[in-house]
Amino acid sequence: MGILGSIFTWWNGATIGTTLALHGKQKMGSDSLGNVYWMGGKDTAGRPRRWVIYNGANDASRVPPEWFGWLHQQSDDVPDQSVQPRAWEQPPLPNQTGTALAYRPPGALEKGGQRVRATGDYEAWSPEG
C-alpha cells in the first residue's frame, strides 16, 4: 500500500496515523495470520491499552481465540505460539458474510427461494380470492 493509501484508507490496514501512534508502545507478539499485537498507555479504567494491527483487511474475525482473550483483558499472559489446538477444535474462519461461503437458510433467494412446507403453513392472500 502506498503512502496515500495509508493516509486515507483505514479498511485496508493500519493508517499512517496508527503507525505513528505506535512510537513508544511495546510490541507483544504476532499470530499465525501475521497480525501484530501491541500494548501501551492506559485506558479510561486504568488498565493497559491493547490493540491489534491486522495483516491485511481490518476484520475482527481474523483474531485467533487466544489473542482475543488477551485483547479483551481476559488474560494477562501473552499467548504462546507453541499452544497446540485440541483435537475437537477447528481453525478459526474469517467472517463469511457477503461471500459465496456465507450461510444461506432453506428458502433463501440465493438457494432457489423454495422451502419445505410446514404444518399449518399460511395461505397467501390474493385479491381475486
Side-chain angles (χ1 to χ4, degrees):
M1 172 170 33
I3 188 75
L4 286 176
S6 68
I7 293 172
F8 297 111
T9 58
W10 58 266
W11 54 88
N12 289 330
T15 62
I16 196 164
T18 304
T19 306
L20 292 174
L22 294 176
H23 182 69
K25 308 301 189 252
Q26 183 179 4
K27 180 180 174 183
M28 301 305 291
S30 61
D31 62 24
S32 59
L33 299 172
N35 301 326
V36 182
Y37 299 88
W38 295 82
M39 184 169 71
K42 300 278 183 197
D43 67 7
T44 57
R47 299 175 302 195
R49 281 199 69 214
R50 298 173 179 180
W51 63 94
V52 59
I53 303 297
Y54 296 102
N55 179 23
N58 291 338
D59 182 3
S61 67
R62 295 181 58 229
V63 174
E66 59 273 8
W67 282 102
F68 179 90
W70 180 81
L71 276 173
H72 291 86
Q73 308 282 346
Q74 296 172 349
S75 170
D76 287 333
D77 300 329
V78 175
D80 187 7
Q81 296 288 14
S82 65
V83 174
Q84 296 298 317
R86 295 185 171 99
W88 49 266
E89 288 182 309
Q90 294 181 352
L93 292 174
N95 188 348
Q96 303 296 315
T97 303
T99 69
L101 299 174
Y103 172 72
R104 308 272 196 258
L109 295 177
E110 293 86 357
K111 290 186 87 173
Q114 299 296 318
R115 64 177 177 80
V116 178
R117 289 188 60 87
T119 58
D121 218 350
Y122 70 92
E123 292 290 325
W125 177 81
S126 131
E128 294 85 31

